[in-house]
Amino acid sequence: METRFRRILLTALMLCYSSLLVAQQPAADDDSVMIEPSIERIEFDEAQIDTEDLEILLMLGYLSIEDFGVNELLQFNLNYHVNESIFVQVSFGQSDGGETSYEIITQGAPLLTPSERELSYYNINIGYNLLPGEAFLGDQLAHNTAFYLSAGIGVTEFAGDDRFTINYGAGYRFLLNDATGIYTDFRNHVFDMDTFGENKATNNLAFTLGISWFF
Amino acid sequence: MVLCCLLMGMSVAGAESEPAPLTIADPFIELRTGPASSYPVFHVIDRGEQILVLRQKTVWFKIRASDGKEGWVNKQQLQQTLLPDGARLQLSELQQDAFIERNWEIGMMTGELEDAPVNSVYGAYNFTKNFATELTLSHSTGNVSSSTIYKVNLMMQPFPQWKYSPYFSMGLGNIDVDPQATLINPEDRSNQIGQIGFGIKRYLSRRFILRFEFNDYVVFSASNDRDDNEDISEWKLGFAVFY
């Protein structure tokens, strides 16, 4: 009996409360209409600004491997522009060693297996935009450019071994627009080789042309 | 009706991708031809005029003036502009606090592992201000062999607020040793390793950290042929970016 009374009482109370809510609803709407501003407000959101400090590069060119001829080189770079002058760079490259003069003349047994002839490397470099500037195409177009220097360390895998490598070089960056650039780069990769008995430092020159995208 | 809704949605999305115009509060701001202080100033925009921010490279912002001229303004000058509601623009400035509160850290280091050059890359996740876990891949090239180390470790940074903040680490991993091809009897080896280390992190600016560390590894190489475990040490210097 007691629970039934309680239930009826509660139901009545709920009904009263909900009708009150319904009665209040339109009043609240009227208020909001009165203070609604007629101008649409545009917020400035910093996250909307397109930040372009990272740059990916695809480079093609030639690598002269000491004693193993000149061969095609494919290289990928990822640049991070720390400030207007300095950038850090990670690069991966791949090429193939040709035949040595000895192998060509004697027509004897090859010194390296085909897989040992594959050359690949990675480098971590620091670059400096030494001469930022502008290049003018005709009297209407101006393009931002930079002559940069960069150097770093890495590892080259060639002739079956990993070889500690230092590399240094210079290049020219020509920006087609704010997001795309054209590169030309000249670089020396120095690593030790002991394949022919004595251990000697080899200088391996690379010339590459590339295209880059900022993102 | 559906088409109408779609069009409206598109126009709203279009409006959202365009950042709000800013009003110049300084007597004037200078527009440069490129994103560096060495590029010449070619135009000035007077107080009261409105500009749109188009893109950012390092601390330089490309803006478009109401007359359509586009050029690069540095961050300091852009901070002197007003938002649509009249408040001064506050661009986020990463400070030491951001370093303390960081979640992710990616970096590279270089140094020496037992007199042989070593390079490594790492990624770290910070659980709290003091504790982090880190995954490191190192590659070392010596005169007689090259080795690859994979390790996972737990790091403790007791005083993240210090300018030179020390940390301690303990980890486990694996070392693969690949002897030079010119050796007579090359023998590839793979052993488990244990590591303890300490180092110092220094917050530089924006998202950059400088880091120096010293590690001691125990290579669990004891076997029937070899009596003792090997003990090797390593120092590395590097930098990292955090998010």
Side-chain angles (χ1 to χ4, degrees):
Chain A
M1 196 70 182
E2 196 186 321
T3 47
R4 187 186 290 169
F5 266 128
R6 195 180 290 165
R7 197 177 295 158
I8 289 166
L9 211 75
L10 273 173
T11 316
L13 224 107
M14 285 269 287
L15 276 170
C16 272
Y17 186 66
S18 59
S19 65
L20 253 172
L21 269 182
V22 170
Q24 271 176 0
Q25 213 86 47
D29 269 355
D30 284 348
D31 280 353
S32 69
V33 166
M34 275 178 69
I35 57 155
E36 190 76 50
S38 56
I39 310 158
E40 193 184 336
R41 195 163 142 179
I42 319 167
E43 291 290 332
F44 183 87
D45 182 7
E46 197 188 335
Q48 279 184 343
I49 303 174
D50 187 8
T51 309
E52 293 175 338
D53 292 341
L54 277 167
E55 186 184 13
I56 190 161
L57 269 95
L58 173 65
M59 304 192 90
L60 279 170
Y62 292 100
L63 173 69
S64 163
I65 310 171
E66 200 170 306
D67 295 324
F68 288 89
V70 178
N71 301 279
E72 289 86 16
L73 172 68
L74 172 69
Q75 184 177 305
F76 289 98
N77 286 6
L78 185 70
N79 290 358
Y80 186 97
H81 294 267
V82 178
N83 60 34
E84 62 190 46
S85 304
I86 295 169
F87 58 94
V88 288
Q89 182 176 64
V90 186
S91 66
F92 300 93
Q94 196 165 29
S95 182
D96 278 303
E99 287 188 313
T100 58
S101 310
Y102 171 78
E103 285 168 306
I104 295 166
I105 293 165
T106 61
Q107 292 291 317
L111 293 170
L112 300 176
T113 64
S115 69
E116 282 175 342
R117 252 175 240 278
E118 286 171 12
L119 183 146
S120 62
Y121 60 78
Y122 70 80
N123 290 317
I124 302 164
N125 293 349
I126 290 183
Y128 185 78
N129 297 324
L130 187 69
L131 300 171
E134 280 178 284
F136 304 99
L137 293 178
D139 53 3
Q140 289 295 315
L141 291 171
H143 293 271
N144 287 341
T145 63
F147 173 78
Y148 63 84
L149 302 175
S150 73
I153 54 166
V155 171
T156 304
E157 191 187 350
F158 183 58
D161 284 323
D162 293 336
R163 301 163 197 284
F164 177 71
T165 307
I166 60 164
N167 79 90
Y168 54 89
Y172 185 71
R173 179 193 306 128
F174 179 92
L175 294 186
L176 290 174
N177 55 40
D178 291 321
T180 320
I182 292 178
Y183 277 76
T184 167
D185 188 276
F186 193 76
R187 187 159 301 280
N188 187 13
H189 298 261
V190 185
F191 54 82
D192 285 353
M193 283 279 283
D194 54 359
T195 314
F196 304 125
E198 61 167 338
N199 199 19
K200 64 164 186 173
T202 62
N203 289 276
N204 305 277
L205 302 173
F207 172 73
T208 44
L209 290 171
I211 184 158
S212 80
W213 293 271
F214 286 84
F215 63 99
Chain B
M1 180 67 188
V2 173
L3 200 76
C4 221
C5 282
L6 272 175
L7 279 173
M8 266 179 71
M10 274 167 72
S11 69
V12 166
E16 269 176 6
S17 66
E18 181 109 318
L22 300 170
T23 310
I24 294 169
D26 263 9
F28 62 86
I29 63 166
E30 297 171 329
L31 290 195
R32 288 177 190 271
T33 57
S37 52
S38 43
Y39 285 102
V41 175
F42 74 101
H43 190 61
V44 291
I45 309 176
D46 297 332
R47 188 203 305 254
E49 282 197 50
Q50 290 202 327
I51 56 167
L52 282 176
V53 180
L54 304 176
R55 60 176 77 226
Q56 179 185 3
K57 281 189 179 184
T58 67
V59 291
W60 292 85
F61 294 82
K62 189 171 196 179
I63 62 118
R64 184 189 293 147
S66 46
D67 61 359
K69 281 216 163 56
E70 291 182 3
W72 297 86
V73 178
N74 71 15
K75 193 171 186 172
Q76 279 174 326
Q77 287 208 326
L78 197 69
Q79 300 265 38
Q80 303 302 319
T81 53
L82 302 178
L83 293 166
D85 60 4
R88 200 164 280 263
L89 174 67
Q90 285 291 329
L91 292 167
S92 63
E93 197 78 51
L94 289 177
Q95 301 284 346
Q96 181 91 13
D97 298 347
F99 165 65
I100 296 169
E101 301 288 340
R102 74 196 182 280
N103 286 325
W104 294 95
E105 191 182 318
I106 314 166
M108 38 197 172
M109 304 184 83
T110 184
E112 280 189 345
L113 176 74
E114 287 289 301
D115 298 330
V118 62
N119 301 316
S120 42
V121 288
Y122 75 91
Y125 177 73
N126 287 51
F127 300 115
T128 70
K129 288 174 187 173
N130 303 104
F131 285 97
T133 184
E134 194 173 85
L135 206 65
T136 311
L137 172 65
S138 303
H139 191 196
S140 163
T141 46
N143 287 332
V144 291
S145 64
S146 68
S147 50
T148 311
I149 297 176
Y150 316 84
K151 72 164 195 243
V152 59
N153 62 12
L154 188 70
M155 315 205 33
M156 205 252 298
Q157 194 177 2
F159 311 104
Q161 71 281 8
W162 287 9
K163 201 172 174 183
Y164 292 90
S165 176
Y167 63 86
F168 303 93
S169 67
M170 272 177 83
L172 279 170
N174 204 71
I175 182 168
D176 291 339
V177 181
D178 183 19
Q180 295 284 71
T182 44
L183 291 184
I184 309 296
N185 279 321
E187 175 205 358
D188 284 12
R189 283 197 291 133
S190 179
N191 289 113
Q192 283 200 334
I193 51 165
Q195 171 257 330
I196 53 165
F198 67 89
I200 286 172
K201 284 183 186 179
R202 162 86 158 94
Y203 172 67
L204 291 175
S205 71
R206 292 167 61 204
R207 299 192 175 282
F208 298 98
I209 308 167
L210 189 72
R211 172 175 176 175
F212 176 80
E213 72 177 24
F214 182 84
N215 290 314
D216 195 61
Y217 295 98
V218 176
V219 183
F220 301 116
S221 54
S223 64
N224 293 338
D225 308 333
R226 213 187 274 262
D227 286 342
D228 293 320
N229 286 329
E230 282 170 273
D231 196 27
I232 53 179
S233 56
E234 170 191 63
W235 66 263
K236 284 187 293 195
L237 176 70
F239 67 92
V241 182
F242 66 82
Y243 293 96

